[in-house]
């Protein structure tokens, strides 16, 4: 089975991300598509395993195999968590709906560290641009402010909101270079302080719910195995918890 076939035939969830999902799209914005596919369980029984991710088919499309997606989400990866909360869902099946129902299981106060580290990496790039060119790449500055705002609000409320809503004009002014770098630095510092404060009283749990996610993954892998070869005695033995040769 080719990687493109996995995306085409086994996608459980697909959405639009990037500026369109953030509510920051303009006429020249691309459409970034992200998805999650469930590789059929029998594919894992050979030496050559299914891919953990697939680029394409088509431009600006990227998909993760379900297990890899869950693994990254449990680590608090900002891009993955935002994908789960996109307001622009293009496809979802029953398994995808169950994945979406688990959105809260992936959220915890550990996102403070992952969002902060990602933001620091982006800030270093902006500082390098300022040193080299005298100004940052304004689009990147806008998205960093958006990320910092999202992290603060997540820790404050326990909910991740992707669309910037009524802050659209404020962010787009940054993208157009209408806000000074000094003002942007001031906003970043203020957001950092507010995020630190939000962490102390955050309603989020200390850690994500690994057990709940693991149970979900086990059940969908088992269902996939039974669907593929429902009468195979080895499949039945594994699904029932036994080993080879146990019936």
């Amino acid at each position: 089975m080719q990687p493109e076939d996995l995306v085409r035939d086994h996608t459980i969830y697909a959405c639009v991300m990037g500026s369109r999902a953030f509510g920051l799209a303009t006429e020249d914005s691309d459409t970034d598509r992200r998805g999650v596919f469930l590789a059929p369980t029998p594919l894992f029984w050979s030496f050559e395993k299914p891919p953990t991710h697939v680029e394409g088919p088509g431009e600006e499309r990227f998909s993760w195999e379900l297990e890899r997606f869950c693994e990254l989400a449990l680590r608090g990866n900002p891009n993955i968590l935002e994908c789960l909360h996109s307001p622009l869902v293009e496809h979802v099946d029953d398994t995808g709906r169950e994945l979406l129902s688990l959105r809260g299981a992936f959220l915890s106060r550990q996102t403070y560290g992952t969002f902060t580290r990602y933001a620091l990496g982006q800030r270093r790039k902006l500082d390098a641009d300022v040193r080299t060119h005298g100004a940052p790449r304004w689009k990147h500055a806008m998205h960093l402010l958006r990320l910092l705002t999202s992290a603060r609000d997540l820790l404050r409320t326990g909910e991740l909101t992707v669309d910037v809503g009524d802050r659209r004009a404020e962010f787009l002014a940054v993208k157009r270079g209408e806000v000074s770098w000094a003002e942007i630095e001031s906003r970043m510092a203020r957001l950092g302080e507010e995020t630190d404060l939000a962490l102390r009283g955050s309603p989020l749990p200390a850690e994500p719910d690994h057990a709940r996610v693991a149970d979900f993954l086990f059940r969908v892998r088992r269902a996939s195995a039974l669907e593929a070869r429902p009468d195979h005695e080895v499949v039945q033995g594994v699904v029932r918890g036994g080993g080879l040769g146990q019936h």
Side-chain angles (χ1 to χ4, degrees), residues 14-115:
C15 67
V16 172
M17 282 305 302
S19 294
R20 297 192 184 281
F22 302 143
L24 295 170
T26 56
E27 291 182 359
D28 59 347
S29 294
D30 295 328
T31 300
D32 300 321
R33 289 184 164 85
R34 300 292 181 265
V36 183
F37 62 90
L38 174 63
T41 299
L43 294 183
F44 292 91
W45 298 340
S46 64
F47 287 116
E48 186 176 350
K49 307 301 181 186
T52 59
H53 61 268
V54 175
E55 292 191 48
E59 297 181 357
E60 308 298 336
R61 182 167 184 167
F62 191 97
S63 300
W64 295 268
E65 206 283 322
L66 177 61
E67 183 172 345
R68 178 60 173 166
F69 186 86
C70 290
E71 178 184 297
L72 292 172
L74 286 169
R75 294 180 186 175
N77 182 293
N79 292 323
I80 298 293
L81 293 178
E82 288 180 338
C83 182
L84 268 177
H85 291 78
S86 173
L88 303 177
V89 176
E90 292 192 318
H91 169 78
V92 61
D93 66 7
D94 289 342
T95 304
R97 276 185 279 274
E98 187 169 2
L99 173 64
L100 292 180
S101 75
L102 290 171
R103 284 183 291 198
F106 295 106
L107 299 177
S108 73
R109 291 196 294 274
Q110 291 180 359
T111 55
Y112 170 84
T114 55
F115 275 69

Side-chain angles (χ1 to χ4, degrees), residues 2-240:
Q2 296 300 311
E4 295 80 6
D5 296 332
L6 288 169
V7 174
R8 187 187 65 243
D9 299 334
H10 298 283
T11 290
I12 64 170
Y13 172 67
C15 67
V16 172
M17 282 305 302
S19 294
R20 297 192 184 281
F22 302 143
L24 295 170
T26 56
E27 291 182 359
D28 59 347
S29 294
D30 295 328
T31 300
D32 300 321
R33 289 184 164 85
R34 300 292 181 265
V36 183
F37 62 90
L38 174 63
T41 299
L43 294 183
F44 292 91
W45 298 340
S46 64
F47 287 116
E48 186 176 350
K49 307 301 181 186
T52 59
H53 61 268
V54 175
E55 292 191 48
E59 297 181 357
E60 308 298 336
R61 182 167 184 167
F62 191 97
S63 300
W64 295 268
E65 206 283 322
L66 177 61
E67 183 172 345
R68 178 60 173 166
F69 186 86
C70 290
E71 178 184 297
L72 292 172
L74 286 169
R75 294 180 186 175
N77 182 293
N79 292 323
I80 298 293
L81 293 178
E82 288 180 338
C83 182
L84 268 177
H85 291 78
S86 173
L88 303 177
V89 176
E90 292 192 318
H91 169 78
V92 61
D93 66 7
D94 289 342
T95 304
R97 276 185 279 274
E98 187 169 2
L99 173 64
L100 292 180
S101 75
L102 290 171
R103 284 183 291 198
F106 295 106
L107 299 177
S108 73
R109 291 196 294 274
Q110 291 180 359
T111 55
Y112 170 84
T114 55
F115 275 69
T116 298
R117 286 192 295 274
Y118 187 85
L120 286 173
Q122 297 304 304
R123 175 61 190 271
R124 292 190 190 100
K125 294 178 181 178
L126 291 174
D127 287 339
D129 287 338
V130 172
R131 289 193 301 269
T132 304
H133 306 291
R137 279 177 274 192
W138 299 109
K139 179 180 178 180
H140 293 182
M142 175 192 72
H143 281 299
L144 179 50
L145 286 171
R146 182 204 62 78
L147 179 70
L148 290 169
T149 302
S150 180
R152 179 201 63 188
D153 293 347
L154 168 60
L155 289 164
R156 279 180 174 176
T157 67
E159 298 180 359
L160 182 59
T161 301
V162 172
D163 193 309
V164 301
D166 58 9
R167 296 188 178 114
R168 172 182 164 85
E170 170 190 334
F171 284 118
L172 289 179
V174 173
K175 180 182 180 181
R176 293 191 297 267
E178 297 171 0
V179 181
S180 70
W181 176 237
E183 171 60 21
I184 291 173
E185 286 186 302
S186 177
R187 292 184 189 179
M188 290 178 180
R190 183 170 64 253
L191 284 167
E193 293 172 358
E194 292 172 353
T195 301
D196 290 344
L197 183 61
L199 174 64
R200 300 172 195 170
S202 178
L204 290 172
E207 297 180 355
D209 194 339
H210 287 83
R212 188 176 167 201
V213 176
D215 175 71
F216 162 68
L217 184 60
F218 176 82
R219 286 187 290 102
V220 297
R221 288 275 193 252
R222 178 176 60 183
S224 174
L226 284 172
E227 181 180 359
R229 306 186 70 177
D231 299 322
H232 195 288
E233 65 177 359
V234 173
V235 173
Q236 289 290 342
V238 172
V239 168
R240 292 170 181 165

